[in-house]
Structures are given as structure tokens and as C-alpha cells.
Amino acid sequence: MAGNTAAAGVAGSRCIALVGPFGSGKTSLMEAMLARAGTLTRQGTVAAGNTVGDGAPEARAHAMSVEVNMAEAEFLGDRFTFLDCPGAIDFLGESAGVLAGCDLAIVVAEADEKKVPALQVILKTLQDRGVPHLLFVNKIDRTATRIRDVLSLLQPASSVPLVLRQIPIWNDGIATGFIDLALERAFVYREHAASEVIEIPDAEMAREVEARFSMLETLADHDDVLMEALLDDIAPERERIFQDLVRETREGLIVPVLFGSADHGNGIGRLLKALRHEAPDVADTRARLGLSEETGTVVQILKTLHTPHAGKLSLARLLAGQLADGDTLTRGDGSTARVSGLFAVMGQQATKRAPAGPGETAGLGKLEHVLTGETLGGGHAPAQLATLDLPEPVLALSVAPRERSDEVKLSTALARLVEEDPSLRVTQAQATGETLLEGQGEMHLRVALERLTGKYGLSVETDAPRVPYRETIRGTTSVRARHKKQSGGHGQFGDVALDIRPLDRGEGFQFADTITGGVIPKQYIPAVRAGVEEALQTGTLGFPTVDLAVTLTDGSFHSVDSSDQAFRMAAIQAMREGLPKCKPVLLEPVCRVTIHCPSEATPRINGIVSAHRGQLLGFDARPGWLGWDEVQAMMPEAETARLIVELRSATAGVASFRKSFDHLAEVGGKAAEEICARHGRQAA
């Protein structure tokens, strides 16, 4: 076949990522390819829970991919590593490490208008990263939509042309085969078997000629010789057509489109042959990433796992050189890590394997401190080839162990969860003292909690993060308090007079003294300040008090009974008496929120913001995203806790947002009463 030259001389295994919207059939497609290649004797199904991918307990329980799954196959003498990436937006961070080291991505899609925005998110990521990709329209057996209409439906999701490589042969509204537009051959599907070559049906000839010419026209946009041939009505050489398909796919100028049914094994052989002939190999990927031929051993970490038997396992692509058990690799900062075991990975199974060569992907045992996304070198500190570019968390939970004795165990388990999935984040909230587990959505955090329980044997308590409310004052007062205690021996005596007044928002706390004549010795003044600050930690409404000034104006002392403790207690008493007289008011944190959503959903998003006490600042087209908007707003932090749930419900699951603290704002009326009531205090 003319296209065979594209696959000639391929060395090593090619690394193929499977990406696509949730539910498009990526795991089923990997299963079908493994079966067609002969790696599996029988194709499993997601419904039966017996696929190579989605073998983790959490994936089986939810019938969805929740982490990257790896499998290997050999087809017609070419070796492939397939990395099945989750499609749900909660788990898109899983693919970030994979895309840094793969040769090509198969984007699995279907003719579903509701999933086009999710498809656009994935295609935009691939295009921004420069990863060559092709599109496989799955579930062709379930659609009666004309393939041209399918292409028109999906094209807005891609900034580069989608180019049909095939057209279906329809029989009573069912796709029973296809015509390969490059080969000009027709094939009829056979259930879970190779398609059978047939003559192009007479009824399909006109469609084939039209579709083929459209494909050639798009290829000719980047090939002047082909364009001249088409203008002169000269049939182009088949070899040139394949060369253009290969070059333009690898350069990201086009996205070839194939179709089939993973469940029935239709179109799978043709897809595998397209990978043989058109997918880049590791040498092409090295060139794309800017690695020289004399670079030495270079390893890219695609994914980190913590397994029950092998311990820490790093899925790694060997971009150059050789790698064996016991080899030492150098990180970007010059530190080293030793490979303790080299493993072939197939789904959930890891078995010892021989040394790896260029292009191969393997599990590397116990690379301590090495993280997903790192580039490692053999004896040299390499330049880092990629950044993970992970999305900001959009949902958080407060987590704590049920048993206090499990605090260290929980800390270790959380660190491992983040190591496995860097799109999770664990932070300590300074304002509330909580441990926060932050992630990309409800399902993301649910799976993380299930792993804490099932994988690490921890019982944890969770809650919504506490909002760091504050309070301030509107009025001024002067107050005097005396702490006097006599119980035998030295007593306690401290006497202070304080002026309390408000400051402008954001000015914090100021303390001064105007003591003259030694009415309070200087050594006790720091204790007065300490008492004032302690009292401010729990104000009149039950929250830390901010933005006020306190001046120590007068007082008295006892030569025997005065002490730091006595003056500290006097200051606390004075503040507790004085603050309620200063018209306390509740403050809540307000965040600047940026929401990204498809333009057609913007009116709904604006409504959601307004319904949550938000102030819309405006919206504009999202830079670099055709058909998307960027909405700017101010929203109380309390209203953003579950904002992502409503945003995704309004946008077929694709909206995202980021927030940052902007200012503290006064809360009054019923809202303040409800907040104070929940904390055991009444609003002033």
C-alpha cells in the first residue's frame, strides 16, 4: 500500500493518548484496539466491568474513568502504548502529564451537540500544546445523521479543519461499512473482526468523488503542487496524498476524522492502520519538543501511582536513550533518584520487564520525590520539557480524621493523593485552622475521599470550609477597666483607660499609648497591647475584629501587685466592655470571580451570579476561545462554596471559574442575623 512508507523504519513503541468528552467511549475503544491487535482474546465491556481500563474500585463503582490507564499492543509489527485518559471535566488534569510525552492523541467523540463544548475544551488543550491528533467519531451504529452534518456539528470545536478520511456506507439508515477516501476502497463491517474489502457500490460513487475532492482541497491548502494538480484536473498520485496526510497531521494543520463503533469493533482495524502510517514516532516527538539527537537518556514522567504491592510507581516515557533497573536518573534541580524496578503495566497489573529503549513507556519503581510532569536525564540535569498547567481548584472540603491518632496517617495519605493527582490540592486555612482538600468538582472530591477510605483505611469527617468572617466598628468610645485580685500573698492589679476608634477598611489594627508621668510603667505597656489583641480575636459578634485603633491613655499600677498578667487581663476586660459600645458590624470576604463559559450560556451565568448576591462587572469574549465568554463579578466568598455545581449544570458540565480575595464588605439585616446566629451570637 502506498501509505506503508510512512510507517517504514519506525523504532520503538509509539505512545498514543485517548482523550475525549465523558461517555464518548474511550475505554471501550482501547479495549477494541487491544482485541483487534490480538492482545486480548475477548473484548470486555464497561457495563460488565471487565475492561483493561477502569480497573480501579472507584472507576468500577461509578462506571467512569477516574485516572489514566495504560495498555500495550502490537499490530502488524508496530508496537503501541495506549494511555486512556478520563473525559469528565473533574478529571481532565489526569491527561496533563500524558500529553507532555505522547506522540499523538486520538480524540474520541460522538454526534452529540451537547458534548461539543466539552470537545472544544479538549481540542483547545491539544492545539495549545502542539500535540498532533485525529478524531474518531464513535457510536456510528447509533446515529443516522449524515457524516457531513456530523462534521459541521463538530467543526466549531476545532480551530483547524476537520478532514474526513472516510464516508459511511448506509443500508436502511445503518452504517454497514465505509469508503476510505485516500485508498479509494470500500469495506463492509464484520462484528469484532477485520472489515471485508468490497467494490465501491455504484450508488456511492458520486458521494465518494465529492468527499474525496473536499479532502484533497483541504490538503492542497498546504501543498502548492497538489493545488496545481487539482486546478488542472489531474489525478494526484496516491503517494503524495498519503505524504500530505502524514505531514499535515503531524504539523497540526489538519485533524483527520475516522469513525466506527468501539462496542462492535467496527472501524478499529482502519484506525490502527492510520496510527501505523500517520502517527509520529518518538523521533518526531523529540524534534517537536526540541530535543537534540545527542541528548542522552531523557525520561518524561506521565503519571504517578501508589500501588499496594509495588509501592510508588511512575509511568514514564523514554524519549531517548536506554533505561534499566538500578539506573540513576537526574532531576531538573540536579538531585538524583534510583530506579528500583522496571515494570510493564497493563491496566491494574504491573509485571517486571526487560530494560526499555527509545519510545517505550514503563513503570519505574520508587522514584522518591519525583513528580508527574518532570523530565529526568541520565547523568545530566535536563531542561523541563513541559509544565502541567493545571486548572485552579473550584470546590473544597474541610477534612479531619475521626480518630485524633490518625492525624499523621491522614497527612501522609493526602500527600500521596496529591502526588497521584496534582489537580488535587491540600492547604491549611490560616484563618480557620482547617485542612482543606480542594479539587475540580464534586465527583473529583468524592473519589478522593473514597480512596482515603478504601485505599488507605482512613475514616474521615468532612464539612464545608468555614468562611473567615470578620467584624469591625463604626463608633468610638473611651473605657476604663481595673483587674484587681487579692487571695493571700501577692495579688493582681492592673488599671487601664483605652480610647477605641474605627479605621478605614483594610488598615488593620493600630495600637498607641499617650502615657505620661509614669502612671503605667513602660514594661507593662506591651502586656496591655497583648491583652487588646487577644480580645480582638473574638469580638462582640463572635468573629475577629479588624480595622480599628486602640490608644492607651491612662491607668494606674501597684508597686507590689502589678504584673504583665494583671495588665493583660485589664486590657481584655476593657475591650470586652468597650467594643459593644462601638456599633459593631459584621464583615464578609468578597472575591473577584472570573467565570469561563460558552457564550450561549452567558445569560444563565449572569442570572446565577445575581442570585448569589453577586455584582456583575461585565463580560467579554474569552481571549483565544471562539464562542466562549469571560464573565467578571464580585461575589461574597460564602456564595462561591458550591458555585461550580450550578455553573456546570447550566453549561453541560464545562464552565470553570477562579476566584481571589478582593475586600471585606459589611453585612447587615437578616443576612447578618443568620450568620451570627449560626455562630451563637446575635447581630448588633
Side-chain angles (χ1 to χ4, degrees), residues 301-543:
I301 306 299
L302 310 179
K303 166 73 178 170
T304 302
L305 301 167
H306 284 278
T307 67
H309 305 298
K312 181 179 177 181
L313 200 63
S314 302
L315 296 186
R317 178 90 192 283
L318 188 56
L319 294 171
Q322 303 288 326
L323 191 63
D325 187 7
D327 284 354
T328 297
L329 295 170
T330 305
R331 303 175 67 197
D333 62 3
S335 62
T336 60
R338 183 177 179 274
V339 178
S340 298
L342 208 64
F343 298 88
V345 179
M346 190 76 167
Q348 298 294 300
Q349 304 300 316
T351 56
K352 287 276 191 175
R353 57 155 292 163
E360 294 189 281
T361 303
L364 309 184
K366 297 180 176 59
L367 292 182
E368 297 303 327
H369 308 300
V370 172
L371 303 176
T372 299
E374 283 195 51
T375 308
L376 310 178
H380 65 286
Q384 298 304 293
L385 296 177
T387 56
L388 289 185
D389 195 23
L390 296 168
E392 287 292 310
V394 294
L395 194 64
L397 284 174
S398 167
V399 294
R402 287 191 187 277
E403 302 295 334
R404 193 173 183 84
S405 59
D406 283 340
E407 287 184 350
V408 174
K409 189 176 178 182
L410 175 61
S411 178
T412 301
L414 288 172
R416 288 183 176 177
L417 284 183
V418 173
E419 199 171 28
E420 288 186 302
D421 183 358
S423 62
L424 287 170
R425 183 185 295 174
V426 176
T427 58
Q428 296 294 325
Q430 292 184 351
T432 63
E434 298 169 290
T435 298
L436 300 182
L437 177 62
E438 301 173 292
Q440 304 303 316
E442 284 187 300
M443 184 58 72
H444 195 208
L445 294 183
R446 184 182 305 168
V447 168
L449 293 174
E450 289 170 356
R451 285 176 174 159
L452 285 177
T453 302
K455 190 172 182 178
Y456 297 105
L458 280 162
S459 180
V460 298
E461 295 177 339
T462 65
D463 203 350
R466 295 200 297 272
V467 177
Y469 292 106
R470 297 290 183 263
E471 59 182 89
T472 191
I473 57 174
R474 291 174 176 163
T476 63
T477 193
S478 296
V479 62
R480 185 159 194 147
R482 175 177 293 182
H483 177 72
K484 184 176 181 181
K485 200 169 186 181
Q486 192 72 43
S487 57
H490 287 304
Q492 294 184 36
F493 182 89
D495 175 33
V496 297
L498 303 177
D499 285 348
I500 307 171
R501 62 182 176 86
L503 295 175
D504 291 338
R505 192 78 66 246
E507 288 195 42
F509 166 66
Q510 295 177 9
F511 179 84
D513 76 89
T514 57
I515 296 298
T516 59
V519 293
I520 297 178
K522 289 186 180 298
Q523 68 263 30
Y524 295 136
I525 292 177
V528 175
R529 175 170 184 150
V532 169
E533 291 178 338
E534 184 174 338
L536 294 179
Q537 294 306 303
T538 306
T540 307
L541 305 181
F543 306 99

Side-chain angles (χ1 to χ4, degrees), residues 271-328:
L271 174 61
L272 285 168
K273 288 180 180 178
L275 294 179
R276 288 188 71 231
H277 304 315
E278 294 160 38
D281 62 15
V282 68
D284 299 309
T285 300
R286 278 200 302 268
R288 173 168 62 83
L289 296 174
L291 286 172
S292 67
E293 292 292 332
E294 299 79 25
T295 192
T297 297
V298 176
V299 174
Q300 184 68 28
I301 306 299
L302 310 179
K303 166 73 178 170
T304 302
L305 301 167
H306 284 278
T307 67
H309 305 298
K312 181 179 177 181
L313 200 63
S314 302
L315 296 186
R317 178 90 192 283
L318 188 56
L319 294 171
Q322 303 288 326
L323 191 63
D325 187 7
D327 284 354
T328 297

Side-chain angles (χ1 to χ4, degrees), residues 52-62 64 66-67 69 347-348 451:
V52 171
D54 291 357
E58 299 81 20
R60 294 276 197 247
H62 299 291
M64 64 183 293
V66 297
E67 63 184 355
N69 286 273
Q348 298 294 300
R451 285 176 174 159

Side-chain angles (χ1 to χ4, degrees), residues 547-568:
D547 299 335
L548 77 167
V550 176
T551 303
L552 174 62
T553 60
D554 197 6
S556 62
F557 75 104
H558 189 280
S559 59
V560 175
D561 292 341
S562 287
S563 65
D564 285 344
Q565 174 70 359
F567 275 100
R568 186 178 70 85

